[in-house]
Amino acid sequence: MTMFSVGTKIASTLGVASIALEAHDIAKRNSKKSMAQASVDKFVSDQIGGMKLNEDSAKHGAIKKFFQNLDITDRFLEVGGAVGGYLSGAGKCLKNNIFTVGFGALGMFAKSKPVQVIALAGMGISILFDTIVNATNIFEKTDYLDK
């Protein structure tokens, strides 16, 4: 195994690992937001449902009030929101970095030097493009007063 081959595998592994760490971080934040949103949606739904009566009845009103404050399914919905948010956040990150992951995986498993060069160049270009588009304001409109 040549030094170029070892360097390619190390660079590719580091590139894929950086995307995996970023995906985990984004997924954790998205999970917390989705869990909170599920809890809020359930609370609002319970409050609206508890205010509506089909008929004017004190008995039915008391039963609705009881179910409104029962909160049996709240924890299930929060956990579902957290899991769904985590998967959504990880998927969004992987979708945005698909070329880096693809070229990184190619570099990790490439045997020939031309394929390794293509993998390194592709991964480098995709990381550079991602950095320019997402970490700078080069392509963003910054002066909203001009048309």
Side-chain angles (χ1 to χ4, degrees), residues 70-147:
L70 194 57
D71 300 335
I72 291 176
T73 60
D74 287 4
R75 194 68 189 148
F76 294 116
L77 292 173
E78 288 176 1
V79 169
V83 170
Y86 188 91
L87 294 175
S88 171
K92 181 177 164 186
C93 179
L94 293 175
K95 184 186 104 189
N96 290 341
N97 294 294
I98 189 71
F99 292 113
T100 304
V101 172
F103 284 119
L106 180 66
M108 286 192 288
F109 300 111
K111 300 285 185 204
S112 67
K113 188 171 182 173
V115 175
Q116 291 173 347
V117 169
I118 290 170
L120 282 176
M123 193 173 68
I125 290 169
S126 67
I127 290 172
L128 180 65
F129 178 77
D130 179 58
T131 302
I132 290 171
V133 170
N134 295 316
T136 66
N137 61 353
I138 292 175
F139 298 109
E140 292 180 15
K141 183 177 179 181
T142 56
D143 187 4
Y144 290 98
L145 298 176
D146 291 339
K147 289 186 179 191

